Amino acid sequence: MNDPYPYFSWLRRHAPVSCERKANGLAVWQIARYAEVNVLLSDARLSKRPGRVPGYVSGPAGLNRHLVHSDPPEHTRLRQLVNTGFIPRRITALAPVIRTAAEDLLDGLHRRESLDLIEEFAGPLTFRMICRILGVPKTLDTPGLRDLLLATVLPTGARATPEEAARSERDLYAFLTRLVAHKRTAGAERAAETDLLGALVHARDATGALSEEELLSTAYLLLLVGHDTTLNLIGNGMLALIQHPDQGKQLAADPDLGGTAVEELLRYDSPVRDATFRVAAQPVDVDGQTIRPGEVVSLLIGSANRDPDQFEGPDDLDLTRHPNDHLAFGRGPHFCIGAALARLEGVIAFPLLLDRLGPVRLAVPAEDLVWRPTRVMRGLARLPLARC
Ligand code: HEM
């Protein structure tokens, strides 16, 4: 968890396409090199439907009928509906809102000797933005909602007791049901003009374009991935800048570098480490081996983004790197819908953080940093900082 990169390097050299058989007999393939990950991300022979693997549990009950777990034609239909919330004009218009929210949060941290960048900046900023896009009213934005969401991506062993985990999932489901009911009473037609959830409720009620389960699942997915990704971009990115002070200084001196800097931070310590669930629906030959139908495939984005066959000096952080054809947002039909939003949040947040916080250092030794024990996401539980 703390530093997967030596293992990824070993995999790329010695076992770039490897298969592990789990105790229950399920075969899980790991693909480590850029060339194969790049191609397989768009390969339609790999299905995204967990239902193809008997007994495979992924995500909270009743909330799994969404984009990430669907193939065409469901995927195409849902993607068109969700896309309306992320059209470039809508995202660009959010720039002043993101800036104001980031400045407000930093105002509160200005004179502090120490802070936790995750809990006090990256988490609240990214969550506020996705709540705004979806149209989550402040009255419903319950304390603890972020924790309920983040807990759903922890492996079973890292969660509370099974009973507590089940209770959290029920609480989350109840919250989403209340949220959708609120949109209905608020008049989804009116809300549809301003927010994405209103638009989805309207599409459901007016034309039946999606089912109630798809509606709730999509709200869950967007609330989760709308922040537990950009939050990691800001956390992992600030850590990288602190550990490479020359690069941090370069960005502080030249905020126009923000665009290429964000691409490099996405590549260097990718917030989505492994691509999401895929299972072979047909035989797929990769590097002389055959993945058979029903076998699960894990595409290691974090490893592909450090592949020396694709990137010169892949373990160096170079904020001016160009070209930088990283896979941090995936490829093909499941390419990240929120990429423009995430990039915008990063381009605004990093120069602002460097400017307003001034010189900061890690408040604990790097080896004591706690990484959240998730497989797909790569992010810190806390990033304690202190003034230099
Ligand atoms: C730095 C931030 C982000 C990163 C690194 C990231 C990364 C990714 C990746 C790698 C995928 C493809 C996964 C796969 O093919 O298995 C993906 C899909 C997706 N992302 Fe993001 N993401 C980020 C931010 C966001 C944001 C802010 C949203 C907003 C809601 C979002 C929404 C989605 C959705 C809905 C999908 C599924 C698309 C589909 O299956 O068609 N992401 N993201």
Side-chain angles (χ1 to χ4, degrees):
M1 282 298 165
N2 288 11
D3 181 9
Y5 296 107
Y7 171 62
F8 285 162
S9 166
W10 183 91
L11 274 181
R12 284 190 307 268
R13 276 179 287 131
H14 301 290
V17 177
S18 58
C19 181
E20 186 197 344
R21 204 162 280 279
K22 303 278 179 202
N24 61 3
L26 182 66
V28 179
W29 292 80
Q30 288 201 124
I31 316 291
R33 286 194 309 222
Y34 182 99
E36 287 88 13
V37 172
N38 185 23
V39 170
L40 290 173
L41 277 167
S42 314
D43 193 321
R45 291 172 299 173
L46 296 182
S47 163
K48 303 277 290 123
R49 285 182 38 225
R52 284 181 181 269
V53 181
Y56 192 91
V57 178
S58 94
L63 299 175
N64 282 306
R65 298 284 303 272
H66 52 61
L67 284 174
V68 167
H69 288 163
S70 59
D71 294 332
E74 287 80 20
H75 177 259
T76 321
R77 171 173 54 81
L78 291 173
R79 183 138 178 145
Q80 273 167 359
L81 290 167
V82 173
N83 246 339
T84 56
F86 295 92
I87 51 177
R89 180 172 45 82
R90 285 201 167 188
I91 299 304
T92 315
L94 276 179
V97 183
I98 299 172
R99 179 172 293 281
T100 306
E103 284 176 344
D104 283 353
L105 287 164
L106 284 169
D107 282 346
L109 302 174
H110 195 47
R111 291 180 198 287
R112 293 261 300 279
E113 281 308 307
S114 61
L115 60 116
D116 173 9
L117 195 83
I118 300 293
E119 270 306 307
E120 300 185 276
F121 181 81
L125 175 69
T126 54
F127 197 53
R128 266 183 216 173
M129 290 310 117
I130 192 62
C131 283
R132 182 174 171 117
I133 291 178
L134 280 174
V136 179
K138 284 211 171 65
T139 43
L140 283 191
D141 175 2
T142 45
L145 174 58
R146 281 189 50 225
D147 290 340
L148 284 182
L149 286 160
L150 296 183
T152 61
V153 291
L154 291 177
T156 325
R159 291 209 217 170
T161 62
E163 294 75 31
E164 281 167 337
R167 184 156 10 95
S168 306
E169 290 189 2
R170 276 200 305 276
D171 288 351
L172 180 59
Y173 191 88
F175 164 79
L176 293 166
T177 316
R178 273 203 313 280
L179 178 58
V180 165
H182 172 87
K183 287 284 151 198
R184 286 202 166 103
T185 50
E189 200 166 348
R190 213 165 355 102
E193 288 161 21
T194 51
D195 67 62
L196 178 55
L197 195 58
L200 293 174
V201 171
H202 182 59
R204 155 100 189 115
D205 294 349
T207 63
L210 72 172
S211 69
E212 196 70 14
E213 189 180 353
E214 287 171 337
L215 177 61
L216 290 170
S217 304
T218 303
Y220 156 68
L221 174 74
L222 295 175
L223 278 172
L224 174 69
V225 301
H227 91 288
D228 186 21
T229 45
T230 320
L231 143 66
N232 297 336
L233 165 63
I234 296 175
N236 301 0
M238 271 307 278
L239 175 63
L241 293 173
I242 289 169
Q243 291 180 325
H244 298 81
D246 56 321
Q247 297 289 304
K249 277 188 197 136
Q250 200 180 346
L251 179 55
D254 180 7
D256 288 345
L257 201 59
T260 53
V262 167
E263 298 310 312
E264 176 66 346
L265 294 169
L266 282 161
R267 181 199 71 82
Y268 181 77
D269 204 2
S270 302
V272 175
R273 192 193 64 185
D274 302 359
T276 53
F277 176 88
R278 278 172 175 76
V279 57
Q282 295 170 38
V284 181
D285 290 334
V286 188
D287 198 34
Q289 304 192 64
T290 302
I291 303 175
R292 294 193 177 75
E295 296 181 341
V296 169
V297 183
S298 186
L299 303 174
L300 305 181
I301 290 177
S303 171
N305 281 342
R306 294 278 193 114
D307 189 336
D309 288 342
Q310 176 67 22
F311 301 99
E312 207 183 308
D315 296 324
D316 299 336
L317 179 74
D318 173 6
L319 298 186
T320 63
R321 187 183 292 274
H322 185 79
N324 190 346
D325 196 15
H326 63 72
L327 300 175
F329 290 121
R331 270 287 137 88
H334 291 273
F335 181 81
C336 178
I337 270 190
L341 171 64
R343 285 179 162 131
L344 187 62
E345 291 183 31
V347 164
I348 292 173
F350 287 115
L352 208 56
L353 279 168
L354 294 171
D355 178 46
R356 297 285 291 274
L357 291 181
V360 284
R361 61 177 171 81
L362 288 181
V364 297
E367 53 280 14
D368 291 348
L369 288 171
V370 178
W371 293 86
R372 289 173 48 229
T374 52
R375 191 185 57 81
V376 170
M377 311 290 189
R378 170 160 169 81
L380 290 158
R382 286 176 295 284
L383 180 51
L385 300 181
R387 299 221 177 266
C388 288

